[in-house]
């Protein structure tokens, strides 16, 4: 679709720098790219509010706490807080005006009769950049906001902590169009020498806590380093997440990490290893080389088949212990969809108007780019990954059914996944795994807020919480495809194909954003980048 424009020497040097600076990280696990432009200041016509009083009239509410749809309701927002939710009638009959909260003289109201309101979505794995070069923050933020994402846990701060913190503060002040950003830092980032002692680990954790980070993303380290770092993170009040890289998973798998105090795991690496019953190491082919991205992802797609069987004693023991430790699983299944159907992801309808050329080049097969492992992706590879998904989904669903917390994340910016679009794809995958539509919404809202320790502020539409909401014209519980920015393709009553849906408004901190305008802005950014 676009010309292949890699600068091979630059890519090689970039990976060398990563290896030297981060040591415990592996090539490609933490991509480092030239940061894109910072987000511009919000213009006067971007977002309306917050208002002294805003009343959303007559909508159907899906509150994110597991309650069924309730409507029509009027939701009263004062500045950026929800102050009242009033049931104002019954479906299919006129609303009686005397039941409705009164609008103050200086207030604003929006008629949302027949619409649906859900809590603002929480993306628990959202990189602002760090994959391809020169991804503008505005591009990422507006795609997130256009898909109803109002809070993002930024895993790694790969563009630099100062770069991320600048956006954290401006988002908090709402001087830019952006979700609320929770900044995590890749373990060892900024360290001049490899961390090889417990003291170094503790000193680094203290340093990044003082700098303003809210958490740490680990890729793996020796047990003594992990133990020291996780202990110090708890003392400093920092959250923790981990991609259990295969180079270190023998020392600390997902269960080992949870026992040491890890709060959440990303993807699924480290979980099958905790479920091994007839081996201690993954069965790697003898010609396997981890730095070969094709080897890495090919064999990753065969790992779940080596784990203990669903329902076995080992399976249940690991599941139950993780739940007892209040451990959070953030699966990001969406980022691996191409592994089971490459053609589908390469030809997704949003690429033409919403994928930056720099991202498309990064996705194109290359031995130098993380996640661009399509050297010779075969039918057998896709079939193995479909089986991998089947078993993985069984564990995730079983974990949820027994009380475990599962959250929603995307990891977009890699492997043909575009910001916002990739997040909604995770909804569909969770439903495929066995989650009911209500459980999917809860995973994307309240569960993420709980994992972040922010459920007193966000995660559900409830009195006293921040006014973070998503307004939709169609019931998302009936079809998650109506959440995509490109809408849902269907046949109308005139026998004509049409696209319907997409988010109508995203409300963050009481400010109402036109999601369709945000998408238009992104299309213009992409069109300009193609010139």
């Amino acid at each position: 679709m676009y010309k292949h424009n890699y600068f091979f020497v630059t890519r090689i040097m970039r990976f060398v720098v990563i290896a030297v600076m981060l040591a415990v990280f592996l090539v490609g696990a933490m991509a480092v790219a030239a940061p894109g432009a910072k987000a511009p200041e919000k213009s006067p016509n971007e977002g309306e509010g917050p208002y002294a009083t805003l009343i959303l009239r007559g909508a159907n509410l899906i509150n994110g706490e597991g309650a069924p749809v309730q409507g029509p309701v009027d939701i009263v927002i004062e500045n950026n807080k929800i102050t009242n939710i009033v049931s104002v009638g019954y479906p299919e009959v006129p609303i009686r005006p005397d039941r409705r909260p009164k609008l103050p003289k200086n207030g604003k109201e929006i008629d949302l009769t027949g619409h649906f309101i859900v809590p603002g979505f929480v993306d628990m794995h959202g990189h602002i950049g760090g994959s391809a070069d020169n991804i503008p923050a505005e591009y990422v933020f507006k795609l997130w906001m256009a898909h109803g994402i109002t809070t993002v846990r930024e895993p790694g701060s790969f563009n630099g902590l100062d770069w991320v913190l600048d956006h954290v503060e401006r988002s908090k002040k709402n001087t830019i169009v952006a979700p609320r950003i929770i900044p995590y830092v890749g373990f060892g980032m900024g360290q001049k020498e490899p961390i090889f002692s417990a003291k170094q680990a503790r000193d680094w954790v203290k340093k990044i806590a003082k700098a303003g980070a809210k958490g740490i993303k680990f890729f793996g380290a020796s047990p003594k380093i992990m133990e020291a770092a996780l202990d110090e993170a708890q003392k400093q009040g920092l959250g923790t997440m981990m991609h259990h890289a295969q180079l270190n998973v023998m020392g600390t798998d997902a269960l080992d990490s949870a026992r040491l105090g890890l709060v959440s795991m990303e993807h699924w690496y480290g979980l099958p290893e905790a479920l091994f019953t007839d081996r201690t190491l993954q069965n790697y082919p003898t010609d396997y080389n981890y730095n070969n991205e094709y080897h890495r992802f090919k064999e990753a797609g065969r790992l779940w088949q080596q784990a203990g069987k669903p329902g076995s004693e080992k399976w249940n023991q690991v599941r139950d212990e993780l739940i007892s430790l209040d451990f959070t699983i953030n699966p990001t299944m969406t980022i691996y969809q191409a592994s089971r159907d490459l053609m589908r992801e390469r030809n997704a309808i949003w690429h033409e108007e919403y994928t930056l050329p720099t991202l498309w080049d990064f996705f194109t097969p290359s031995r130098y780019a993380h996640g661009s492992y399509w050297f010779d992706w075969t039918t057998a590879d896709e079939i193995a990954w479909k089986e991998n998904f089947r078993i993985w989904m069984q564990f995730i669903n079983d974990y949820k059914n027994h009380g475990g917390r599962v959250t929603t994340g995307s990891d977009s910016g890699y492997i043909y996944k575009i910001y916002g679009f990739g997040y909604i794809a995770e909804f569909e995958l969770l439903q495929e795994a066995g989650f009911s539509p209500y459980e999917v919404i809860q995973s994307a809202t309240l569960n993420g807020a709980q994992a972040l320790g922010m459920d007193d502020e966000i995660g559900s539409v409830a009195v006293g919480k921040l006014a973070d909401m998503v307004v939709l014209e169609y019931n998302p519980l009936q079809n998650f495809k109506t959440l995509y920015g490109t809408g849902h393709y269907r046949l109308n009553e005139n026998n004509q194909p049409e696209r319907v849906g997409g988010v109508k408004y995203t409300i963050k901190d009481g400010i109402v954003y036109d999601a369709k305008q945000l998408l238009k802005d992104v299309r213009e950014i992409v069109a300009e980048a193609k010139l």
Side-chain angles (χ1 to χ4, degrees), residues 409-447:
S410 66
D411 200 12
S412 293
Y414 299 90
I415 315 179
Y416 294 106
K417 285 299 176 179
I418 304 305
Y419 308 95
F421 292 100
Y423 184 78
I424 300 306
E426 187 77 352
F427 285 35
E428 295 191 278
L429 290 165
L430 287 168
Q431 187 170 7
E432 181 185 339
F435 286 49
S436 74
Y438 281 102
E439 290 171 336
V440 173
I441 295 294
Q442 186 173 337
S443 170
T445 56
L446 187 61
N447 286 7

Side-chain angles (χ1 to χ4, degrees), residues 81-251:
K81 287 285 184 73
I82 301 168
T83 58
N84 205 358
I85 300 173
V86 182
S87 178
V88 294
Y90 304 92
E92 300 180 20
V93 294
I95 295 172
R96 295 177 180 175
D98 60 316
R99 288 191 163 194
R100 315 198 87 157
K102 293 183 179 179
L103 184 71
K105 187 174 291 186
N106 63 342
K108 164 82 172 179
E109 63 182 359
I110 302 176
D111 182 3
L112 296 177
T113 302
H115 289 64
F116 289 81
I117 291 178
V118 297
F121 299 139
V122 181
D123 189 335
M124 289 290 284
H125 197 119
H127 297 283
I128 301 173
S131 54
D133 289 331
N134 301 315
I135 301 174
E138 180 184 13
Y139 167 82
V140 179
F141 293 155
K142 287 187 173 179
L143 278 173
W144 278 337
M145 292 282 282
H147 286 88
I149 299 166
T150 57
T151 301
V152 171
R153 181 174 65 169
E154 216 291 359
S157 296
F158 296 159
N159 281 350
L161 182 57
D162 290 343
W163 191 94
V164 172
L165 287 176
D166 174 71
H167 291 97
V168 170
E169 291 305 311
R170 291 199 289 152
S171 174
K172 182 184 286 188
K173 296 174 183 176
N174 289 304
T175 59
I176 57 175
V177 179
R180 185 177 299 102
I181 303 165
I182 314 301
Y184 279 45
V185 180
F187 182 61
M189 188 169 161
Q191 185 80 359
K192 293 182 179 180
E193 58 183 11
I195 295 175
F196 58 86
S197 72
K199 182 180 184 305
Q200 284 178 307
R202 289 185 183 276
D203 288 345
W204 181 88
V205 172
K206 293 174 185 176
K207 176 183 174 182
I208 62 107
K210 186 176 180 180
K214 296 300 181 184
I216 303 167
K217 181 181 181 182
F218 294 92
F219 286 90
S222 68
K224 73 173 184 178
I225 300 298
M226 289 298 305
E227 182 176 11
L230 288 168
D231 180 67
E232 192 60 44
Q234 288 180 332
K235 291 178 179 177
Q236 298 296 326
L238 298 178
T240 52
M241 59 194 293
M242 186 165 176
H243 169 151
H244 291 79
Q246 284 95 325
L247 295 183
N248 296 285
V249 73
M250 180 59 188

Side-chain angles (χ1 to χ4, degrees), residues 478-490:
Q478 294 178 340
N479 183 7
F480 288 129
K481 293 186 187 301
T482 60
L483 291 172
Y484 285 113
T486 45
H488 170 52
Y489 187 67
R490 71 174 191 183

Side-chain angles (χ1 to χ4, degrees), residues 124 153 184 214-216 218 226 230 233-234 237-242 244 254 257-266 322 325-330 399 405 407 447-448 450-453:
M124 289 290 284
R153 181 174 65 169
Y184 279 45
K214 296 300 181 184
I216 303 167
F218 294 92
M226 289 298 305
L230 288 168
Q234 288 180 332
L238 298 178
T240 52
M241 59 194 293
M242 186 165 176
H244 291 79
S257 303
R259 287 168 174 165
L260 293 173
L262 184 71
V263 174
S264 73
M265 64 169 287
E266 307 305 295
L322 289 174
L325 293 167
D326 195 28
F327 192 62
T328 296
I329 295 179
N330 187 49
Y399 194 72
R405 183 185 301 110
T407 55
N447 286 7
Q450 289 174 339
L452 292 171

Side-chain angles (χ1 to χ4, degrees), residues 177-363:
V177 179
R180 185 177 299 102
I181 303 165
I182 314 301
Y184 279 45
V185 180
F187 182 61
M189 188 169 161
Q191 185 80 359
K192 293 182 179 180
E193 58 183 11
I195 295 175
F196 58 86
S197 72
K199 182 180 184 305
Q200 284 178 307
R202 289 185 183 276
D203 288 345
W204 181 88
V205 172
K206 293 174 185 176
K207 176 183 174 182
I208 62 107
K210 186 176 180 180
K214 296 300 181 184
I216 303 167
K217 181 181 181 182
F218 294 92
F219 286 90
S222 68
K224 73 173 184 178
I225 300 298
M226 289 298 305
E227 182 176 11
L230 288 168
D231 180 67
E232 192 60 44
Q234 288 180 332
K235 291 178 179 177
Q236 298 296 326
L238 298 178
T240 52
M241 59 194 293
M242 186 165 176
H243 169 151
H244 291 79
Q246 284 95 325
L247 295 183
N248 296 285
V249 73
M250 180 59 188
T252 47
D253 61 31
L255 185 56
D256 295 326
S257 303
R259 287 168 174 165
L260 293 173
L262 184 71
V263 174
S264 73
M265 64 169 287
E266 307 305 295
H267 318 307
W268 51 266
Y269 311 110
L271 192 49
E273 289 90 342
L275 292 165
F276 283 165
T277 57
D278 61 351
R279 67 196 66 204
T280 57
L281 294 174
Q282 181 179 346
N283 185 24
Y284 297 110
T286 56
D287 65 345
Y288 179 97
N289 186 323
Y290 189 83
N291 286 8
N292 182 316
E293 291 276 299
Y294 173 65
H295 286 179
R296 173 180 171 182
F297 284 94
K298 175 183 178 180
E299 294 307 319
R302 291 160 170 80
L303 182 51
W304 271 103
Q305 297 176 53
Q306 301 172 41
K309 301 304 179 187
S312 66
E313 182 179 354
K314 184 70 168 182
W315 176 286
N316 294 342
Q317 178 261 316
V318 171
R319 177 201 68 205
D320 293 344
E321 186 173 355
L322 289 174
I323 292 171
S324 73
L325 293 167
D326 195 28
F327 192 62
T328 296
I329 295 179
N330 187 49
T332 69
M333 291 179 285
T334 178
I335 199 62
Y336 302 103
Q337 269 188 294
S339 297
R340 68 175 191 172
D341 192 344
L342 175 59
M343 186 182 297
R344 178 185 188 275
E345 297 307 307
R346 277 184 54 84
N347 292 284
I349 60 171
W350 41 80
H351 284 315
E352 184 61 35
E353 293 189 298
Y354 294 101
T355 301
L356 285 169
T358 185
L359 272 173
W360 188 259
D361 285 347
F362 183 76
F363 297 153

